[in-house]
């Protein structure tokens, strides 16, 4: 992996796959660059140079205590700068929120593809103190509790599903990402009801969602597409339950960037 240096000096690890116009993939919560490998391969097969990266406090990237959404915007800007200075951005889940916020703040984005952004528009918002409680768990050496609490309250997963995840082999890998749940919570809280700057981004916006996904995400995607002048809503049947299908998603990108 290569390394870009963010504005606050934090090293941000990224990897490139394929040749062609650049598409930077921005992952959602509790994931690393490795989780986007299938999507990167599909984009490379479609004729793009796909860039995956570890958001701060994840994988091979660094972190600074007290990081804010502004710092994550700077991280994305650093990655885009390192791979040519302008790129299309494909963001999934909270990564879609980060991509939209970054574009609204002047990060050079050619086009935005926003996959199931968890925007709530003021409805059923998590508790105001969620980020603070998650940080306390991390600081107390209880990262497992941070992950479980984030899944229950931040994501809204049912207790039975969270218990199954906790008992699974994947849970230790999630625990390593506990600090990032604080950052995702702050990001989605700050941008949950998009302001005028987010709704008036100049870059073309395509909002993607599956036909079978969580109801809140269907509402969010449809609402965002309605709010943004000129935005296109694309329902991707192959993407099921908040998991973007690589080939189908790459096809949507190719059709709009050809």
């Amino acid at each position: 992996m290569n390394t870009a240096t963010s504005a606050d000096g934090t090293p941000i690890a990224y990897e490139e796959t394929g040749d062609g116009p650049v598409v930077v993939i921005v992952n959602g919560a509790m994931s690393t660059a490795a989780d986007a490998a299938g999507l990167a391969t599909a984009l490379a097969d479609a004729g793009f140079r796909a860039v995956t990266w570890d958001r701060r406090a994840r994988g091979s990237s660094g972190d600074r205590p007290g990081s804010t959404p502004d710092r994550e915007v700077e991280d994305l800007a650093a990655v885009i700068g390192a791979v040519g200075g302008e790129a299309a951005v494909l963001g999934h889940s909270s990564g879609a929120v980060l991509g939209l916020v970054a574009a609204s703040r002047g990060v050079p984005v050619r086009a935005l593809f926003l996959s199931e952004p968890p925007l709530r528009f003021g409805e059923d918002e998590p508790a105001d103190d969620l980020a603070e409680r998650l940080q306390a768990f991390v600081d107390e050496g209880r990262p497992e509790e941070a992950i479980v609490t984030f899944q229950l309250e931040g994501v809204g997963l049912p207790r039975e599903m969270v218990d199954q995840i906790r008992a699974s082999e994947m849970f230790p890998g999630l625990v390593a990402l506990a600090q990032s749940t604080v950052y995702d919570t702050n990001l989605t809280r700050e941008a949950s009801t998009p302001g005028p700057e987010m709704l008036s981004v100049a870059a073309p916006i395509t909002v993607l969602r599956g036909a079978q996904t969580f109801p809140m995400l269907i509402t969010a995607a449809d609402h965002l597409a309605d709010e943004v002048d000129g935005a296109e809503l694309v329902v991707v049947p192959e993407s099921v339950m908040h998991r973007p299908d690589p080939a189908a998603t790459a096809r949507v990108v190719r059709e709009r960037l050809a």
Side-chain angles (χ1 to χ4, degrees):
M1 297 187 80
N2 301 307
T3 302
T5 302
S6 195
D8 69 349
T10 299
I12 304 297
Y14 70 93
E15 188 168 4
E16 302 176 65
T17 304
D19 295 300
V22 179
V23 179
V24 175
I25 302 168
V26 189
N27 279 12
M30 298 180 294
S31 64
T32 67
D35 294 300
L39 188 53
T41 298
L43 286 168
D45 290 344
F48 296 101
R49 177 158 58 113
V51 179
T52 57
W53 57 293
D54 287 328
R55 291 169 60 187
R56 66 175 52 212
R58 310 179 192 212
S60 298
S61 289
D63 188 26
R64 292 289 179 94
S67 292
T68 64
D70 288 342
R71 302 291 80 79
E72 288 216 86
V73 168
E74 292 168 352
D75 298 344
L76 177 53
V79 171
I80 291 175
V83 297
E86 184 181 54
V89 168
L90 169 58
H92 176 64
S93 195
S94 68
V97 178
L98 179 55
L100 182 58
V101 170
S104 76
R105 297 183 184 177
V107 175
V109 174
R110 174 187 172 197
L112 278 170
F113 296 87
L114 307 178
S115 169
E116 301 194 359
L119 303 171
R120 296 178 183 263
F121 292 92
E123 300 292 330
D124 299 320
E125 299 280 359
D128 289 341
D129 68 343
L130 177 58
E132 290 72 21
R133 286 187 284 121
L134 295 175
Q135 188 65 66
F137 283 135
V138 174
D139 293 343
E140 293 165 5
R142 302 166 64 193
E144 298 89 351
E145 295 306 315
I147 293 296
V148 168
T149 302
F150 178 73
Q151 290 177 326
L152 289 171
E153 299 185 32
V155 181
L157 296 179
R159 168 64 72 172
E160 179 179 325
M161 182 180 295
V162 173
D163 289 344
Q164 290 174 347
I165 293 172
R166 186 165 193 168
S168 72
E169 294 180 354
M170 68 183 293
F171 191 67
L174 297 179
V175 170
L177 307 175
Q179 180 62 57
S180 72
T181 66
V182 179
Y183 302 156
D184 270 312
T185 299
N186 283 329
L187 172 68
T188 53
R189 177 173 61 185
E190 181 177 304
S192 186
T193 299
E197 297 84 2
M198 292 174 64
L199 298 177
S200 58
V201 167
I205 293 179
T206 304
V207 182
L208 302 90
R209 67 164 174 84
Q212 299 179 57
T213 189
F214 297 99
M216 185 273 284
L217 297 172
I218 293 176
T219 299
D222 293 4
H223 194 165
L224 181 62
D226 286 341
E227 289 282 333
V228 176
D229 187 32
E232 180 185 8
L233 175 67
V234 178
V235 177
V236 184
E238 298 92 337
S239 297
V240 177
M241 299 311 293
H242 205 43
R243 295 186 178 184
D245 180 83
T249 302
R251 183 177 65 245
V252 172
V253 174
R254 184 185 65 244
E255 289 172 350
R256 283 147 188 84
L257 293 183

